[in-house]
Amino acid sequence: MNKRLYIETVGCQMNVLDSEMVVASLRKRGFELAGDLAGADVILFNTCSVREQAENKTYSALGRLRSFKKAHPEKIVGVMGCMAQKDQKLIFDRAPYVDLVVGPGQLARIPDLLESIAAGKGPQMAVSLGRKEGPVEEIKRSHETFDPLRDPTMRPTPSQAYLRIQIGCDKFCTYCIVPMTRGPEQGRPPEQILAEARILADQGCKEITLIGQTVNSYRYASGGRTTRLADLLHALSDIDGIQRLKFVTNYPKDMTDDLLLAVRDLPKCSPYLHVPAQSGSNDVLARMKRGYTVEDYCEMMGRIRATIPHAAVTSDFIVGFSGESEADFQKTYDLVAECRFKNSFIFKYSERPGTKGAELYPDDIPHEVKNRRNNELLALQNRISEQESQRFLGERVEVLVEGPSDRARHRGEEHGEVVQLTGRTHDDRIVVFDGNPRLVGEIIPIAIYDVSPHTLFGAVVTEHVSGAGLQPAFGIL
Ligand code: SAM
Ligand code: SF4
């Protein structure tokens, strides 16, 4: 088999990390990355099922491959990730030229399955057991965590990495397909997590983002001792080289005081908490089966603000869930106004076959209403984000430089002496400034002179030694 791989990834951080792992495992078998689809021997789509639109995009992309595959039957086309687990054989029905379907719990088998296909054994499929297809332990085993290797070249930037601490989800929010596609919640052993973090630090990684669907529900029991997220943060803080620790996504009910104290007391922990509320209406939250009330959420926000006053808190909301009245939506609007999130991701409800929501509740809010609510909430959040950003005018922030900004990349300017760079503050704010690309991977001071809702604009602070000692000055390094 010729070994050039093209991989296209959509969806959440889990998928980004899964792609990194699959690329690493295939490199071990001699694969190289192809820059585009046409130059590849194996084409993999890493897919998302959270909203229908994401699935439609993947099926359209597969549709566009039909004639390509006819002209090049030797090329292997594979679908991996949540849509592979959810749709399974249906993918072969809708796109009969697909050779490989692999769920997120079976990724370790991809290299062998590709060899079987190349050896002429026909299309291959590897999926995990459904949530009712056997004893829990067997189902858990069929959803294997796949974190054996790291491939630094596949990361968003070499100085930043995701580290999986938990797979699956047991919350079963009624709108959500994730518990079905990613299986039961399972925490990874702390020794494995710490060993991986040390490898990442040795590779030059400065910022680690711990990921899990409900990352703060993490627990691992062994030898009479239970390790929780706060314990992990303490242990990870001791690793030299790692300078920032973030974790996503948090579940409101599991935002315990020990975790907030860890974030407050460990300087490496970023004062940044993503805690999706989903709705501001108790009736909607109950139908979503989120397991908390608006009052619980506000109590949690109060504890966050009291413990870590400077923390940036972000949220997710779904508008147009089944039965959401204007009064329900108004309550969501009021919650956003009250909580003053740094940012919120707002989604229009998308009914997902296979969820309790699809079974129990009609998708009864018209598109126009979903759109309007989406726009109104977004406009409110943008106003709040802009006001919150204003606080940074004239301030100095420490930024981990990620690379050339989108503008520099689009204009092909990313290799100049001075280019527009982008990076993030400790509390996950995006900062754009001019500087030399050699600053990428460094944590540097930036003085902020302008803001927009989601971006701070600044200049590198250079230190001049003079008779009076160190004098800050603004300039381009
Ligand atoms: N585990 C995380 C949590 O509980 O917040 C997030 C998982 S999900 C991949 C990311 C976000 O997608 C959710 O927070 C929710 O707002 C949104 N989402 C999930 N299912 C959805 C659906 N059926 N329609 C619209 N948005 C959805
Ligand atoms: Fe989905 Fe709810 Fe689990 Fe998040 S907590 S992954 S929204 S079921």
Side-chain angles (χ1 to χ4, degrees), residues 130-132 168-181 183-185 214 251 286-291 354-357:
R131 296 291 305 233
K132 290 185 180 148
C169 181
D170 285 342
K171 302 291 192 236
F172 288 101
C173 304
T174 56
Y175 52 81
C176 185
I177 195 70
V178 172
M180 276 56 84
T181 57
E185 180 184 317
T214 54
Y251 186 66
R287 280 199 297 284
M288 288 177 163
K289 203 171 144 293
R290 282 291 285 180
T355 59
K356 274 280 167 217

Side-chain angles (χ1 to χ4, degrees), residues 148-307:
L149 321 132
R150 306 296 312 216
D151 187 335
T153 61
M154 276 304 285
R155 294 212 201 108
T157 73
S159 51
Q160 296 169 300
Y162 293 129
L163 204 175
R164 194 181 340 250
I165 67 167
Q166 176 197 59
I167 61 168
C169 181
D170 285 342
K171 302 291 192 236
F172 288 101
C173 304
T174 56
Y175 52 81
C176 185
I177 195 70
V178 172
M180 276 56 84
T181 57
R182 291 203 172 252
E185 180 184 317
Q186 303 182 65
R188 289 180 72 202
E191 319 75 73
Q192 264 183 33
I193 295 167
L194 289 167
E196 211 177 313
R198 284 188 205 103
I199 293 172
L200 289 168
D202 289 346
Q203 290 176 352
C205 181
K206 291 185 176 158
E207 178 184 283
I208 290 184
T209 302
L210 307 177
I211 59 173
Q213 294 300 341
T214 54
V215 72
N216 57 340
S217 319
Y218 171 86
R219 48 177 59 239
Y220 189 86
S222 168
R225 181 180 148 72
T226 300
T227 306
R228 305 186 51 228
L229 179 56
D231 306 315
L232 279 184
L233 291 171
H234 278 277
L236 289 163
S237 270
D238 290 337
I239 298 178
D240 288 339
I242 302 299
Q243 298 188 36
R244 288 181 176 180
L245 290 164
K246 297 178 176 173
F247 52 89
V248 289
T249 296
N250 291 286
Y251 186 66
K253 270 301 239 191
D254 293 328
M255 199 51 105
T256 49
D257 286 338
D258 64 331
L259 180 56
L260 296 183
L261 291 173
V263 176
R264 185 193 70 183
D265 296 338
L266 296 170
K268 290 184 182 180
C269 273
S270 292
Y272 159 62
L273 298 168
H274 181 57
V275 207
Q278 310 296 3
S279 172
S281 153
N282 283 338
D283 290 346
V284 175
L285 286 174
R287 280 199 297 284
M288 288 177 163
K289 203 171 144 293
R290 282 291 285 180
Y292 54 84
T293 60
V294 180
E295 291 71 27
D296 294 332
Y297 191 88
C298 291
E299 184 273 335
M300 175 209 71
M301 276 301 273
R303 280 187 295 116
I304 293 177
R305 298 287 187 221
T307 315

